[in-house]
Amino acid sequence: MIIATGVMSIRNILITDRTVEEFCVVFDTEISVIVDLLEKSESCFEHYFDDPQKQKFKWVQEFTFMSIESLITATRLLIEGHINASGNTMRISYESLCLVILLSAKQDLLIHKSKRAKPVNFYKCYEQGESNTKAHKAIDNVIANADKLGLLEGHEWLKEAKNFYNGYSHASIMTMGSLMLPSGKSIVAGGFYKEKLELYKAHLEFTIRFLKHLPQLIEEIGLRNITSP
């Protein structure tokens, strides 16, 4: 296996600034859209979560923040060429958002797969540490309760995103493939490679699709989360 580090030593890879200019030039349009939507999401968060004393549900503010922060970090990692780390961080963003949707739900939700299972108060179950409320099950729980939660489009975009990002959460053929170039060389610590343009593009498309939903979802969650005066 040949490592595609070029003339850079391992030490230089670790401690030297590496430009993101080429990525930003190629994907200038996509990045502009992402920045605009992130700024809208940030504004919504600041508007609805500016006073912790008025928050109705514990953890909702923190997980909403984590969703936004993880999305920003994942985008930066992608621009730097860290495909696997970006995908894994995006999964955290999706899971965080799904957790706040579930924690702030007004209706009881079905989170058990047994035929005799009944809807439960997700917030109370989360407080009690029930296994079916864990973060890695959050996306599936939202998809299963999409109608109750009012996410008319939730089933499709969330399901496709979960399938896409699951591959970046473990050591797999998919994660290894993101580190290989057609020439047989392997990538170390990111960087921009024209051979990976289609993969970069796919990640950006998922990011933009997520962000198109995010400001509205933050607003809805914020309204649920504010106690009455």
Side-chain angles (χ1 to χ4, degrees):
M1 181 178 290
I2 302 172
I3 299 177
T5 58
V7 297
M8 297 183 70
S9 67
I10 296 296
R11 178 177 177 81
N12 284 336
I13 288 174
L14 292 177
I15 67 174
T16 304
D17 288 337
R18 301 172 75 181
T19 181
V20 298
E21 182 179 359
E22 194 169 2
F23 188 106
C24 293
V25 169
V26 172
F27 294 106
D28 176 68
T29 300
E30 290 87 347
I31 291 172
S32 294
V33 172
I34 287 171
V35 169
D36 180 59
L37 291 170
L38 277 170
E39 288 175 345
K40 289 180 181 178
S41 300
E42 180 185 36
S43 295
C44 285
F45 178 80
E46 290 176 350
H47 178 75
Y48 289 104
F49 294 93
D50 62 339
D51 187 353
Q53 300 302 317
K54 292 184 179 180
Q55 304 309 315
K56 191 175 189 179
F57 300 105
K58 185 180 179 182
W59 305 302
V60 168
Q61 181 190 38
E62 290 86 348
F63 280 122
T64 304
F65 169 78
M66 185 182 290
S67 181
I68 299 170
E69 192 283 331
S70 296
L71 182 49
I72 295 170
T73 298
T75 304
R76 176 68 193 194
L77 287 168
L78 180 64
I79 292 172
E80 292 178 356
H82 303 294
I83 298 171
N84 290 335
S86 174
N88 193 32
T89 306
M90 275 297 295
R91 175 171 170 165
I92 294 173
S93 181
Y94 272 90
E95 288 178 347
S96 298
L97 179 67
C98 286
L99 274 177
V100 296
I101 291 172
L102 295 164
L103 286 167
S104 62
K106 297 177 181 178
Q107 309 91 340
D108 286 350
L109 304 173
L110 193 63
I111 62 172
H112 300 282
K113 294 184 178 180
S114 167
K115 292 182 178 180
R116 297 182 179 180
K118 295 181 180 180
V120 296
N121 184 303
F122 186 90
Y123 185 87
K124 290 181 179 179
C125 290
Y126 187 83
E127 278 190 310
Q128 295 165 5
E130 288 198 21
S131 61
N132 282 343
T133 66
K134 300 297 184 183
H136 67 280
K137 296 186 177 182
I139 298 175
D140 283 340
N141 280 330
V142 169
I143 292 172
N145 293 277
D147 291 339
K148 284 187 177 182
L149 293 167
L151 295 174
L152 300 180
E153 301 177 32
H155 184 271
E156 293 304 323
W157 67 274
L158 277 176
K159 185 174 181 180
E160 289 176 12
K162 182 198 171 191
N163 292 338
F164 181 75
Y165 290 113
N166 269 356
Y168 294 98
S169 300
H170 308 282
S172 65
I173 299 299
M174 182 176 179
T175 55
M176 178 55 70
S178 70
L179 300 177
M180 300 297 298
L181 298 177
S183 63
K185 293 182 179 181
S186 57
I187 300 167
V188 175
F192 181 82
Y193 298 90
K194 291 182 179 178
E195 297 96 322
K196 293 295 181 184
L197 285 180
E198 289 304 312
L199 186 56
Y200 300 147
K201 184 177 180 180
H203 278 260
L204 290 169
E205 287 174 352
F206 271 98
T207 300
I208 290 171
R209 185 165 61 169
F210 182 31
L211 274 166
K212 286 181 178 179
H213 294 277
L214 191 57
Q216 183 180 351
L217 287 170
I218 291 173
E219 180 179 12
E220 183 177 338
I221 291 163
L223 289 171
R224 292 181 193 171
N225 195 48
I226 297 175
T227 57
S228 300

